Amino acid sequence: MWAGNAWRAAVFWVSRGRRAQSALAQLRGILEGELEGIRGAGTWKSERVITSRQGPHICVDGVAGGILNFCANNYLGLSSHPEVIQAGLQALEEFGAGLSSVRFICGTQSIHKNLEAKIARFHQREDAILYPSCFDANAGLFEALLTPEDAVLSDELNHASIIDGIRLCKAHKYRYRHLDMADLEAKLQEAQKHRLRLVATDGAFSMDGDIAPLQEICRLASRYGALVFVDECHATGFLGPTGRGTDELLGVMDQVTIINSTLGKALGGASGGYTTGPGPLVSLLRQRARPYLFSNSLPPAVVGCASKALDLLMESNTIVQSMAAKTQRFRSKMEAAGFTISGASHPICPVMLGDARPASRMADDMLKRGIFVIGFSYPVVPKGKARIRVQISAVHSEEDIDCCVEAFVEVGRLHGALP
């Protein structure tokens, strides 16, 4: 009897193991098919390994010599600024490596509260709340704020994190054509039956370098009793006279209700995001925003770096003012050479190429000439709109910019992008 039971048990476990192996083999087949499709479409994304600090000049694994970096979000060059680094080291020494906890349990330190207060002052808002990233800030906002009685109206080219955040909420969803104010007005008229109406837009759109018409958006929001939300990840720190963002640039700081932004680009370049706006909204997010409630608090070193970056920005706007001239220099020289550059005036300068393969191959050849840029293709951008996105930093010199343009002209002719 016992022998029979043991035999049946052995047969069961062998059979179960075979089924598990079969399921794994099936999964591998599916995944390899998907990956081969990506390779075949020319949209495979390889990761280059940097072996130095982030900055305008970097070292890249497998590439001899120094490389000029033209594709980082390091708009103000603060990610390797000595005072920012020192502030991070000091916070690490004083407050430790991390909190091992979420904020409401035992993960809030005085430096977190101080940074939130500083962010609110910077944006001239009532309060602010920190998240591990702005992706988390966008994931937490809409679900906590909006109910099935409400409506959200979103630009069709908003960042993926806004799109995903909106998907999580139960509000009625309207999508208006990119920067199309007539379509937004039509959608606002249709949404009048809902309790709250929230217009959601990027301030600066990271793929195309264009800027939302916030004056018109705010005018329509006022006419139809709506609130305005702006994601300022590609604006905070360098757009506007003092770097407050697109709402400052366009003179509507008092009309934008909610701002989400990041600490991971111009403000130190590490990680972290935030929401800033009305005090009661921030209080509600502390109670209900799932990415806040269920994620560890920001590491002290990150908080220290971001806090110092804000200090430097609020002390002087000299570095902000240098951005416009350098951006214009690159755009004008590239357009004179025959390239099409999307957007206007923003340091994001997409060199439009259309097809994914030449975008990828040109980026590889640029690296051989000492210029670090990346080709962008589907699904990061729509099919047929592949580009190499160049990003200008305040710490690029005029010589750096001219060198980048010269390499583009040479590579562009090699690949038929220029005559």
Side-chain angles (χ1 to χ4, degrees):
M1 178 178 176
W2 288 109
N5 288 340
W7 180 83
R8 283 192 291 272
V11 170
F12 170 79
W13 287 110
V14 169
S15 175
R16 180 172 176 177
R18 286 174 178 167
R19 289 197 300 271
Q21 290 177 353
S22 176
L24 178 58
Q26 180 186 25
L27 172 63
R28 287 185 182 276
I30 292 171
L31 295 178
E32 287 299 333
E34 291 287 332
L35 295 173
E36 190 56 40
I38 295 172
R39 294 186 187 96
T43 58
W44 184 267
K45 297 160 191 64
S46 300
E47 295 182 2
R48 298 170 179 170
V49 179
I50 298 173
T51 59
S52 63
R53 293 178 177 180
Q54 182 65 276
H57 300 264
I58 58 175
C59 297
V60 178
D61 187 36
V63 181
I67 302 296
L68 282 173
N69 187 8
F70 275 91
C71 69
N73 297 316
N74 187 25
Y75 292 109
L76 300 178
L78 297 180
S79 61
S80 54
H81 191 286
E83 291 186 48
V84 172
I85 294 172
Q86 185 57 42
L89 290 172
Q90 183 177 338
L92 180 65
E93 179 68 30
E94 184 174 352
F95 292 97
L99 277 300
S100 307
S101 182
V102 300
R103 287 283 298 271
F104 82 96
I105 299 177
C106 62
T108 298
Q109 291 175 320
S110 56
I111 53 172
H112 295 96
K113 301 302 293 183
N114 292 340
L115 178 56
E116 287 169 336
K118 190 176 295 185
I119 288 169
R121 288 198 308 273
F122 178 75
H123 285 286
Q124 299 177 23
R125 298 307 197 276
E126 293 177 10
D127 202 355
I129 177 174
L130 290 170
Y131 289 89
S133 70
C134 190
F135 206 111
D136 286 322
N138 286 337
L141 174 68
F142 302 100
E143 184 181 25
L145 175 62
L146 302 176
T147 74
E149 299 180 65
D150 305 317
V152 57
L153 304 94
S154 176
D155 187 294
E156 65 180 349
L157 293 189
N158 275 339
H159 190 268
S161 60
I162 299 176
I163 294 170
D164 286 358
I166 289 172
R167 285 173 176 165
L168 291 171
C169 78
K170 294 181 172 61
H172 296 265
K173 302 168 181 67
Y174 298 81
R175 187 174 66 173
Y176 63 91
R177 291 187 293 272
H178 182 50
L179 307 183
D180 188 331
M181 295 299 95
D183 193 38
L184 173 58
E185 183 167 18
K187 297 295 194 299
L188 280 167
Q189 290 171 345
E190 186 180 348
Q192 285 301 290
K193 56 183 174 287
H194 303 298
R195 184 187 65 164
L196 293 178
R197 293 160 296 284
L198 178 67
V199 180
T201 182
D202 278 319
F205 291 83
S206 61
M207 288 300 111
D208 294 291
D210 46 12
I211 295 173
L214 289 185
Q215 292 175 330
E216 183 66 8
I217 288 173
C218 290
R219 185 185 67 81
L220 289 173
S222 177
R223 175 182 296 179
Y224 292 101
L227 306 169
V228 178
F229 159 84
V230 182
D231 181 307
E232 290 282 66
C233 285
H234 289 277
T236 297
F238 58 94
L239 287 189
T242 62
R244 264 58 177 181
T246 55
D247 61 341
E248 182 189 44
L249 177 72
L250 299 174
V252 292
M253 290 186 74
D254 60 338
Q255 299 175 57
V256 173
T257 313
I258 307 165
I259 287 175
N260 278 8
S261 194
T262 182
L263 307 174
K265 293 181 172 60
L267 302 182
S271 62
Y274 58 85
T275 295
T276 185
L281 169 65
V282 172
S283 295
L284 181 68
L285 293 174
R286 293 191 194 280
Q287 302 302 313
R288 290 186 179 173
R290 292 166 68 84
Y292 179 83
L293 291 171
F294 296 101
S295 297
N296 268 23
S297 55
L298 276 179
V302 172
V303 176
C305 288
S307 185
K308 175 54 69 173
L310 276 172
D311 289 341
L312 292 172
L313 190 56
M314 289 190 284
E315 287 169 6
S316 170
N317 65 347
T318 302
I319 195 169
V320 175
Q321 293 174 339
S322 73
M323 291 289 297
K326 292 177 180 179
T327 297
Q328 182 57 33
R329 185 182 186 91
F330 178 82
R331 284 180 172 271
S332 61
K333 283 179 172 285
M334 287 289 284
E335 289 169 352
F339 287 104
T340 298
I341 310 298
S342 180
S345 303
H346 195 282
I348 290 175
C349 304
V351 182
M352 304 304 293
L353 299 169
D355 187 29
R357 287 182 178 85
S360 177
R361 291 168 182 166
M362 282 180 63
D364 290 341
D365 281 349
M366 290 287 286
L367 185 61
K368 294 174 184 176
R369 288 159 176 80
I371 308 294
F372 193 121
V373 289
I374 295 292
F376 282 57
S377 57
Y378 181 83
V380 179
V381 296
K383 290 181 179 179
K385 293 189 176 182
R387 78 281 309 264
I388 294 175
R389 188 180 74 175
V390 176
Q391 292 174 260
I392 307 300
S393 172
V395 289
H396 282 131
S397 68
E398 292 185 352
E399 291 75 16
D400 292 340
I401 292 169
D402 293 347
C403 183
C404 182
V405 173
E406 289 168 8
F408 259 111
V409 171
E410 183 181 345
V411 170
R413 287 172 179 161
L414 180 66
H415 288 274
L418 292 179

